[in-house]
């Protein structure tokens, strides 16, 4: 078969590899190198040089260094050779190669370069190895050069994308052998003309491959590239590079067509706040990346850089204050642009409503107070799907625009829009853009620019898109080479036109160009990474528990402050929220990071539990005083067991437990509302609603059935659940023992594989509710454990709780979009029903579900509700989820949406028992007379004024009117946004004394500020 490779392409590739790149530096001279490996964790610059370099020992370039996760400080000294500063068209640079591979900056060794005086110059990484010398480190002939390189020998966990188990994710198991070899640490005299020629070739060679064949433009570009190889003398590349550039000028200077797609190029560096590295390394990645950006801003006019995540700026402020001030200066000048408005680039499926709101309260609050910026755009390029509640939350935080890219990863359906209005569950719409370049790590190559133009879906009515460029995921950011590419394609025939710009410029122009943008309604479901609803169950439980502990802590602390004058613990609460919000980052909470990250996360949740526990205890004892009584505190929005919502009373007299009774070869549990039959293997064979006279378990089926599946995704272990898991199912039907235990519950013990579990089954004495508890000692590998409830209910959709409301999803698979949602996310409850009857299944720590309807023959259809309890992926954490887990699930019989909402709160906010206190009840700070209007948070205002802030929402999906009554003297009530700034009233109709009249549309959030 003939070789169809274009000979010009081959010739050009060899020309660049053998002639051009070796000539980038006219001369190189080695520097004298010494080194010191910091023991243990990284140390600050001052500590590294504290002994006057006495700990540094001579180090030979070419030698190995750096065990996994270690830090090696290299000190390089030398003299700029005579005559270097007299060579026109050159630049003196320190050139560093820490043992880089040619690709993937941010996933291997990285270095931060300092002057001997402790000033950060910039970073060095695989695609960014040069450190220009200027006034901070003089480049004059004879000048002494001294720099220090803080080299991080981070292991390449993702090397070759093999997704096999790795020992590198923990310092304890990573080993002590050196990973890298210092290949270069020298002075180089860069030939600017040769470098510029190389950039010309990058742009034109890439363009050649994108131009249609047999066109005049392609022919002239091909001819110019062919002839440049002849013009540049291999014996004198430096002397003939300018001639080569002049030859190419004829094709580079031809302007773009008027109809060319317009790309707004925004500098960017997506930095995962933890992923294949721990949080402590992210702090250094931020410093390295921001240093690179500052250096580039100071050298390149018009370049604008956008960075999200207030947490990352806060780290910089704490650990690198001088660099933070440098960044602050560029922020003031509009060149370094904070975006996103969130504390981190959070997952949006799993955080609760108030937690997602606090992402903006913390993020926008930091940007405003520390940088003087009120961000307008929400920037989440890499989260794994986007909740239908997000548009309202974004708008309530004062944001106008939304950007993401990840939906392009869909495995089944292509999103029909690049630019559109996204409508949330309450009807709020936000102007949204999916960069059609299909990456947030663009290099501004011709292939990427062409892809952006090709993928842009609104071509008939618009012509603008945004391209985020810069090395990301592991950071690094834009390079001078990328800026050069942008300048060459500002107006170039055959290419989209590229404009260096800010996000605000793009969104302003795009919205003006497309005022009647198409609308997408509901969640932005990612048809991929469905395993993120379940992986790392301990972290998910820690998040759920922390969110509810913070609700309790703020409620009781605010109540104590108003009722007793106790000090409100602002700092403790903010620190806890910062931890929770950090750990909601889109690779931590979804369960897709290395084991080190999860060890840190568990420690973080333990700190949150300890600090909030102290706040709660202090507040309740301040309210109740000391004594010999026992009280019961209800932090939930609904009364529980006789205790009013948001109040404290004497411990209620409990109902007697329902005792399980032997029944044939099984057992029965029964109260006035429900009769439950359990067979000899601990399987629920009957749930009879005695009020409706209706059996819920289909004949021959079992509810509360545990099912084990093989779970081996094609690629992304911790991320994905592939549909193929459904082909292998093992029903765990055999029990080791089934017995009645104290309190009347049934205790079922099961063993399977290398694992075991204890399950309890109990019936509430006064409610139509079955409670199931699980303690699982889990030691499976690549398995998925599900809990199934087949129900004799004909449900055409399932309602799943999300933030500040719920989402209805079909139980059928009529379309490819329906079929792709074979695993979905829900928070505290799901509900299935038919007109007039339903069932709610609630949980205390589970997020992944699949809910399907299957034919039952002549009896109609059965709705199968399944919860995904545990997974066991091997990458990136080979020990993910191994060990003990505690989970709880409840089934509410004959329940509608109102009962489902109440059950979700009851399951997650149990009554808190406080011993050794007085007996006087504590009335709630606020009461609401409509059960559809839920109090989600009660706290004191962020500004320290002492005002009480109450966040409410409509929970049933219908319009609701109600009255909020304050239980304290109120001087005024205003409606605010999430940041507690007054807004035009949308839910607040009228105020009379302590009473606020409310009218909320379905799922509307309403924040009220009560002055006192």
């Amino acid at each position: 078969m003939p070789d169809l490779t274009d000979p010009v392409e081959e010739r050009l590739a060899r020309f660049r590899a053998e002639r051009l790149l070796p000539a980038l530096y006219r001369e190189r001279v080695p520097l004298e190198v010494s080194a010191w490996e910091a023991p243990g964790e990284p140390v600050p610059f001052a500590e590294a040089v504290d002994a006057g370099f006495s700990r540094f020992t001579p180090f030979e370039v070419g030698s190995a260094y750096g065990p996994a996760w270690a830090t090696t400080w290299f000190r390089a000294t030398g003299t700029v050779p005579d005559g270097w500063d007299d060579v026109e068209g050159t630049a003196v640079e320190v050139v560093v190669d820490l043992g880089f591979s040619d690709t993937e900056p941010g996933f291997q060794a990285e270095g931060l370069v300092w002057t001997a005086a402790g000033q950060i110059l910039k970073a060095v990484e695989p695609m960014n190895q040069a450190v220009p010398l200027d006034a901070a480190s003089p480049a004059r002939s004879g000048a002494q050069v001294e720099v220090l390189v803080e080299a991080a020998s981070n292991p390449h966990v993702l090397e070759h994308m093999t997704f096999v188990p790795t020992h590198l994710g923990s310092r304890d198991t990573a080993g002590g052998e050196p990973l890298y070899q210092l290949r270069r640490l020298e002075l180089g005299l860069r030939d600017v003309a040769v470098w510029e020629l190389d950039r010309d070739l990058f742009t034109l060679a890439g363009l050649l491959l994108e131009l249609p064949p047999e066109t005049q433009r392609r022919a002239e570009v091909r001819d110019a590239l062919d002839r440049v190889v002849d013009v540049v003398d291999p014996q004198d590349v430096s002397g003939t590079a300018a001639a080569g550039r002049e030859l190419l000028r004829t094709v580079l200077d031809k302007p773009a067509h008027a109809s060319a797609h317009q790309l707004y190029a925004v500098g960017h560096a997506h930095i995962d706040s933890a992923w294949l590295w721990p949080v402590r390394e992210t702090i250094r990645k931020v410093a390295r990346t921001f240093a690179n950006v500052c250096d580039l801003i100071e050298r390149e006019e018009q370049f604008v850089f956008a960075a999200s995540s207030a947490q990352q700026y806060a780290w910089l402020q704490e650990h690198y204050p001088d660099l933070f001030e440098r960044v602050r200066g560029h922020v003031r000048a509009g060149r370094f642009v904070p975006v996103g408005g969130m504390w981190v680039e959070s997952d949006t499926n799993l955080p609760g409503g108030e937690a997602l709101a606090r992402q903006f309260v913390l993020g926008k609050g930091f940007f405003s107070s520390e940088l003087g910026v009120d961000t307008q755009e929400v920037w989440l390029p890499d989260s794994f799907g986007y909740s239908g509640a997000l548009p309202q939350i974004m708008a309530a935080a004062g944001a106008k625009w939304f950007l993401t890219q990840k939906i392009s990863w869909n495995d089944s359906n292509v999103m029909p829009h690049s630019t559109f209005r996204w409508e949330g569950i309450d009807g709020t719409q936000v102007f949204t853009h999916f960069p059609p370049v299909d990456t947030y790590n663009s290099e501004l190559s011709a292939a990427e620019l062409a892809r952006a133009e090709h993928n842009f879906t609104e071509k008939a009515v618009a012509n603008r898109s945004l391209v985020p460029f810069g090395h990301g995921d592991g950071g690094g950011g834009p390079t001078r080479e990328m800026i050069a590419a942008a300048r060459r394609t500002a107006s170039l025939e055959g290419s989209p036109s590229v404009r260096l710009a800010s996000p605000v410029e793009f969104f302003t122009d795009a919205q003006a160009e497309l005022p009647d943008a198409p609308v997408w309604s509901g969640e932005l479901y990612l048809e991929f990474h469905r395993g993120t609803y379940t992986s790392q169950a301990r972290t998910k439980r820690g998040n759920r528990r922390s969110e509810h502990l913070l609700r309790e802590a703020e409620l009781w602390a605010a109540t104590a402050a108003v009722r007793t004058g106790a000090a409100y613990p602002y700092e403790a609460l903010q620190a806890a929220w910062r931890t929770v919000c950090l750990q909601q980052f889109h690779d931590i909470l979804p369960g897709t990071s290395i084991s080190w990250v999860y060890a840190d996360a568990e420690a973080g949740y333990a700190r949150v539990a300890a600090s909030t526990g102290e706040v709660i205890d202090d507040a309740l004892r301040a309210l109740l005083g000391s004594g010999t009584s026992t009280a019961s505190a209800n932090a939930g929005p609904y009364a529980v067991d006789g205790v009013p919502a948001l109040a404290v009373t004497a411990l209620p007299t409990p109902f007697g437990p329902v005792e399980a009774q032997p029944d044939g070869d099984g057992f029965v549990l029964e109260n006035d509302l429900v009769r439950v039959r359990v067979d000899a293997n601990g399987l629920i064979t009957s749930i009879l609603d005695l009020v409706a006279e209706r059996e819920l378990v289909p004949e021959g089926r079992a509810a509360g059935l545990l099912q084990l599946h093989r779970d081996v995704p094609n690629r992304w272990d911790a991320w994905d659940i592939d549909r193929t898991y459904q082909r292998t199912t093992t029903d765990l039907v055999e029990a080791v023992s089934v017995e009645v235990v104290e309190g009347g519950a049934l205790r079922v013990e099961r063993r399977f594989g290398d694992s075991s579990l204890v399950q309890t089954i109990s019936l509430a004495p006064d409610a139509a509710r079955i409670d199931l508890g699980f303690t699982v000692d889990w030691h499976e590998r690549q398995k998925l454990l599900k809990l199934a409830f087949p129900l004799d209910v004909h449900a055409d959709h399932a309602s799943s709780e999300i933030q500040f409301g719920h989402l209805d999803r079909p139980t059928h698979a009529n379309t490819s979009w329906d079929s792709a949602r074979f695993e979905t996310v829900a928070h505290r409850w799901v509900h299935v029903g038919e007109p007039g009857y339903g069932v709610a299944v609630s949980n205390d720590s589970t997020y992944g579900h699949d809910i399907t309807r299957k034919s039952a023959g002549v009896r109609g259809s059965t709705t199968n509700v399944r919860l995904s309890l545990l997974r066991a992926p091997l990458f990136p954490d080979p020990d993910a989820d191994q060990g003990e887990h505690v989970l709880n699930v409840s089934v509410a019989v004959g329940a509608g949406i109102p009962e489902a909402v109440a059950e979700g709160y009851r399951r997650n906010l149990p009554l808190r028992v406080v011993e050794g206190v007085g007996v006087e009840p504590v009335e709630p700070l606020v009461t609401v007379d409509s059960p559809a209007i839920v109090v989600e948070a009660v706290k004191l205002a962020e500004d320290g004024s002492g005002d009480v802030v109450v966040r409410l929402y409509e929970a049933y999906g219908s319009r609701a009117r109600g009255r909020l009554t304050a239980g304290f003297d109120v001087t005024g009530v205003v409606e605010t946004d999430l940041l507690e700034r007054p807004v035009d009233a949308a839910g607040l109709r009228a105020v009379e004394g302590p009473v606020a009249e409310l009218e909320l549309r379905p799922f509307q959030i309403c924040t009220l500020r009560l002055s006192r």
Side-chain angles (χ1 to χ4, degrees):
M1 189 171 182
D3 184 0
L4 300 180
T5 304
D6 188 332
V8 171
E9 293 176 35
E10 287 188 320
R11 190 178 187 217
L12 199 63
R14 184 174 181 184
F15 167 73
R16 184 171 185 266
E18 296 182 8
R19 301 188 198 177
L20 211 59
L21 293 183
L24 282 177
Y25 288 93
R26 293 191 185 182
E27 295 183 53
R28 301 173 187 262
V29 296
L31 293 169
E32 185 176 339
V33 180
S34 58
W36 172 66
E37 184 177 310
E41 289 297 282
V43 301
F45 174 87
E47 186 174 336
V49 304
D50 183 54
F53 305 113
S54 63
R55 294 173 296 195
F56 284 67
T57 57
F59 191 92
E60 185 175 345
V61 172
S63 300
Y65 77 95
W69 307 113
T71 300
T72 304
W73 286 82
F74 294 107
R75 181 190 183 205
T77 59
T79 304
V80 178
D82 290 340
W84 272 25
D85 55 348
D86 296 328
V87 182
E88 188 176 352
T90 61
V92 180
E93 299 176 340
V94 174
V95 185
V96 186
D97 184 344
L98 295 174
F100 303 130
S101 65
D102 293 335
T103 58
E104 297 186 297
F107 291 88
Q108 48 184 293
E110 304 170 72
L112 186 61
V113 184
W114 305 71
T115 69
Q119 178 185 347
I120 293 173
L121 294 175
K122 65 180 293 291
V124 289
E125 295 164 275
M127 311 299 286
N128 191 353
Q129 300 180 21
V131 183
L133 296 182
D134 51 24
S137 298
R140 300 184 304 274
S141 296
Q144 297 299 305
V145 174
E146 181 177 9
V147 296
L148 286 97
V149 182
E150 180 188 3
S153 48
N154 298 331
H156 196 343
V157 177
L158 200 61
E159 189 167 16
H160 308 307
M161 303 287 280
T162 51
F163 300 97
V164 296
T166 175
H167 62 281
L168 295 172
S170 168
R171 189 159 191 165
D172 294 338
T173 60
E177 293 300 312
L179 297 182
Y180 296 102
Q181 179 186 55
L182 179 65
R183 296 201 190 108
R184 179 173 296 159
L185 188 41
E186 61 192 18
L187 285 179
L189 186 63
R190 181 167 64 97
D191 191 311
V192 176
V194 174
W195 183 87
E196 295 283 4
L197 176 59
D198 184 59
R199 294 299 90 205
D200 293 343
L201 295 178
F202 172 83
T203 295
L204 289 174
L207 178 63
L208 178 69
L209 298 178
E210 302 304 323
L211 291 169
E214 310 307 327
T215 60
Q216 189 272 336
R217 178 59 169 164
R218 188 180 192 281
E220 69 178 9
V221 170
R222 183 180 183 277
D223 180 65
L225 291 172
D226 192 23
R227 288 191 295 120
V228 78
V229 180
D230 297 327
V231 169
V232 178
D233 185 350
Q235 305 302 317
D236 185 16
V237 174
S238 178
T240 56
R245 294 203 69 208
E246 187 62 32
L247 184 151
L248 296 177
R249 188 174 304 282
T250 56
V251 289
L252 279 170
D253 283 351
K254 285 199 171 182
H257 295 300
S259 61
H261 186 64
Q262 298 178 45
L263 281 165
Y264 289 60
V266 178
H268 184 49
H270 181 66
I271 307 175
D272 287 317
S273 290
W275 181 27
L276 305 180
W277 46 84
V279 165
R280 71 90 150 140
E281 194 54 34
T282 309
I283 296 170
R284 301 203 295 176
K285 285 178 176 288
V286 171
R288 290 189 284 261
T289 300
F290 285 17
N292 281 345
V293 169
C294 287
D295 180 75
L296 206 54
I297 285 173
E298 291 152 13
R299 297 176 189 279
E300 299 285 353
E301 295 181 359
Q302 299 178 316
F303 167 60
V304 177
F305 177 77
S308 69
S309 304
Q311 169 70 89
Q312 296 184 0
Y313 292 78
W315 281 330
L316 198 74
Q317 185 180 40
E318 178 183 357
H319 297 280
Y320 301 89
D322 292 344
L323 182 56
F324 178 79
E325 290 304 319
R326 196 171 160 197
V327 167
R328 198 203 301 260
H330 294 314
V331 170
R332 292 195 189 102
R335 304 283 302 283
F336 198 119
V337 182
V339 292
M342 301 176 75
W343 190 243
V344 296
E345 288 188 11
S346 171
D347 180 85
T348 76
N349 286 315
L350 306 173
E354 188 60 25
L356 206 49
R358 296 305 175 91
Q359 288 284 350
F360 291 97
V361 173
L362 288 175
K364 295 196 76 169
F366 181 92
F367 284 149
S368 177
S369 63
E370 300 300 329
L371 296 171
V373 172
D374 184 14
T375 54
Q376 300 295 298
E377 63 290 292
V378 176
W379 188 277
L380 284 175
D382 191 34
S383 284
F384 307 144
Y386 304 92
S387 165
L390 193 56
Q392 180 182 193
I393 296 171
M394 292 189 290
K400 299 190 294 187
W401 305 307
F402 176 60
L403 178 141
T404 184
Q405 176 268 321
K406 200 68 172 187
I407 298 297
S408 68
W409 285 39
N410 275 5
D411 61 16
S412 301
N413 299 281
V414 176
M415 284 293 295
H417 307 300
S418 299
T419 305
F420 59 100
R421 300 196 68 84
W422 179 23
E423 181 179 81
I425 59 173
D426 77 315
T428 297
Q429 294 184 357
V430 174
F431 191 81
T432 298
H433 183 63
F434 291 170
V437 70
D438 197 18
T439 180
Y440 47 81
N441 294 327
S442 173
E443 298 179 358
L444 300 181
S445 68
E448 291 168 335
L449 305 188
R451 183 169 67 238
E453 182 172 33
H454 177 268
N455 288 348
F456 185 65
T457 57
E458 275 64 54
K459 292 184 180 70
V461 290
N463 198 29
R464 289 171 167 84
S465 70
L466 186 148
V467 51
F469 71 95
H471 296 303
D473 287 323
T479 64
R480 62 191 181 191
E481 288 78 12
M482 296 173 192
I483 303 296
R487 299 204 188 286
R488 283 161 175 77
T489 52
S491 181
L492 179 64
E493 183 183 348
S495 169
S497 296
V498 176
R499 169 186 172 187
L500 293 171
S502 70
V504 170
E505 290 177 87
F506 165 74
F507 277 110
T508 300
D509 291 352
Q511 196 163 7
E513 182 184 45
L514 197 58
D516 297 319
V519 175
W520 177 274
S521 182
E523 69 179 329
L524 292 169
Y525 176 88
L526 177 63
E527 298 172 352
F528 207 45
H529 291 359
R530 302 169 182 89
T532 59
Y533 313 147
T534 305
S535 296
Q536 298 287 359
R538 267 183 290 272
T539 296
K540 290 173 168 60
R541 183 174 185 82
N543 175 74
R544 180 80 67 85
R545 186 71 185 122
S546 295
E547 289 178 348
H548 290 83
L549 284 170
L550 275 159
R551 174 194 172 99
E552 286 191 81
E554 289 185 333
L555 169 66
W556 301 130
T559 305
V562 173
R563 296 272 188 252
T564 72
Y568 189 76
Y570 286 101
E571 291 185 4
L573 291 170
Q574 185 184 76
W577 271 118
R578 283 187 169 192
T579 297
V580 171
C581 286
L582 165 61
Q583 295 183 178
Q584 289 173 344
F585 177 72
H586 66 249
D587 277 309
I588 302 179
L589 185 53
T592 54
S593 294
I594 58 174
S595 60
W596 190 336
V597 172
Y598 293 105
D600 287 350
E602 288 190 38
Y605 290 131
R607 291 193 304 272
V608 169
S611 64
T612 54
E614 186 176 341
V615 169
I616 293 167
D617 191 64
D618 289 348
L620 288 174
R621 293 188 184 281
L623 286 163
L624 294 165
S626 60
T628 59
S629 299
T630 300
S632 199
N634 178 13
Y638 297 102
V640 176
D641 294 342
V643 182
L646 315 179
V648 186
T649 68
L651 191 68
T653 302
F655 289 91
V658 174
E659 298 275 351
Q661 301 295 327
D663 182 59
D665 62 350
F667 303 87
V668 65
L669 298 99
E670 183 174 354
N671 61 20
D672 294 338
L673 305 171
V674 181
R675 180 186 301 134
V676 179
R677 293 189 184 277
V678 181
D679 70 12
N681 276 310
L683 302 175
I684 299 172
T685 57
S686 171
I687 301 174
L688 181 62
D689 184 335
L690 298 174
V691 176
E693 298 182 339
R694 177 168 178 158
E695 173 60 59
L696 284 176
V697 180
E699 185 177 355
R701 303 291 295 278
L705 173 67
L706 291 159
Q707 297 180 301
L708 195 65
H709 299 271
R710 184 184 302 155
D711 181 19
V712 187
N714 290 338
R715 282 188 69 196
W716 297 81
D717 243 31
W719 290 259
D720 290 347
I721 290 178
D722 291 351
R723 193 190 302 271
T724 52
Y725 88 87
Q726 299 168 349
R727 299 174 187 169
T728 55
T729 305
T730 301
D731 293 344
L732 304 182
V733 296
E734 294 185 3
V736 174
S737 64
V738 181
E739 59 182 345
V740 180
V741 294
E742 185 178 353
L746 284 173
R747 180 186 185 276
V748 183
E749 184 178 353
R750 304 187 191 280
R751 293 177 188 160
F752 54 94
D754 295 320
S755 304
S756 62
L757 66 83
V758 172
Q759 175 183 356
T760 59
I761 305 172
S762 60
L763 181 64
D766 60 335
R769 185 185 75 243
I770 306 151
D771 294 325
L772 290 81
F774 300 88
T775 300
V776 188
D777 189 18
W778 179 249
H779 296 285
E780 303 308 295
R781 302 285 182 175
Q782 295 187 304
K783 296 292 177 64
L784 169 63
L785 182 65
K786 280 186 171 272
L787 175 64
F789 295 96
L791 301 170
D792 190 4
V793 175
H794 181 76
D796 65 352
H797 70 271
S799 299
S800 300
E801 189 194 32
I802 61 172
Q803 302 89 350
F804 300 114
H806 60 266
L807 196 70
D808 292 341
R809 302 184 181 101
T811 55
H812 56 70
N814 281 358
T815 70
S816 60
W817 297 87
D818 301 331
S819 180
R821 286 190 294 265
F822 60 83
E823 184 81 4
T824 58
V825 68
H827 285 198
R828 293 169 291 205
W829 57 267
V830 297
H831 178 270
V832 292
E834 54 197 43
Y837 194 85
V839 177
V841 180
S842 59
N843 71 84
D844 71 346
S845 59
T846 298
Y847 295 89
H849 294 72
D850 75 276
I851 304 174
T852 55
R853 196 176 68 213
K854 295 185 178 180
S855 172
V858 295
R859 296 190 60 196
S861 63
T862 294
T863 301
N864 198 28
V865 177
R866 298 205 304 168
L867 293 79
S868 299
L869 301 184
L870 293 169
R871 297 188 69 214
L874 300 181
F875 183 90
D877 177 5
D879 294 318
D881 281 324
Q882 299 300 296
E884 185 174 282
H885 300 268
V886 178
L887 313 100
N888 294 283
V889 176
S890 296
V891 180
V893 176
I897 293 294
E899 290 78 19
V901 173
E903 272 299 299
Y905 279 102
R906 183 203 65 80
R907 179 77 273 179
N908 287 271
L909 280 165
L911 296 179
R912 181 174 291 273
V913 175
V914 191
E915 298 178 333
V917 293
V919 294
E920 289 297 320
V922 177
E923 298 296 324
L925 276 188
V926 294
T927 57
V928 180
D929 65 1
S930 168
I933 300 176
V934 172
V935 176
E936 182 65 5
V938 179
K939 58 188 284 293
L940 292 195
E942 295 289 315
D943 61 9
S945 64
D947 290 353
V948 174
V949 172
V950 182
R951 187 122 51 234
L952 313 104
Y953 72 101
E954 195 289 316
Y956 296 171
S958 59
R959 291 190 178 270
R961 287 189 175 186
R963 294 184 299 173
L964 179 143
T965 303
F968 58 96
D969 292 337
V970 172
T971 59
V973 180
V974 296
E975 189 168 346
T976 74
D977 64 8
L978 294 183
L979 276 73
E980 300 164 16
R981 303 173 296 198
V983 295
D984 293 337
L988 179 62
R989 296 177 61 236
V991 178
E992 184 174 348
V995 178
E997 299 281 348
L998 303 172
E999 182 174 358
L1000 303 185
R1001 66 180 181 270
F1003 303 130
Q1004 181 181 347
I1005 303 168
C1006 180
T1007 303
L1008 301 180
R1009 182 171 182 146
L1010 287 64
S1011 301
R1012 62 189 180 95

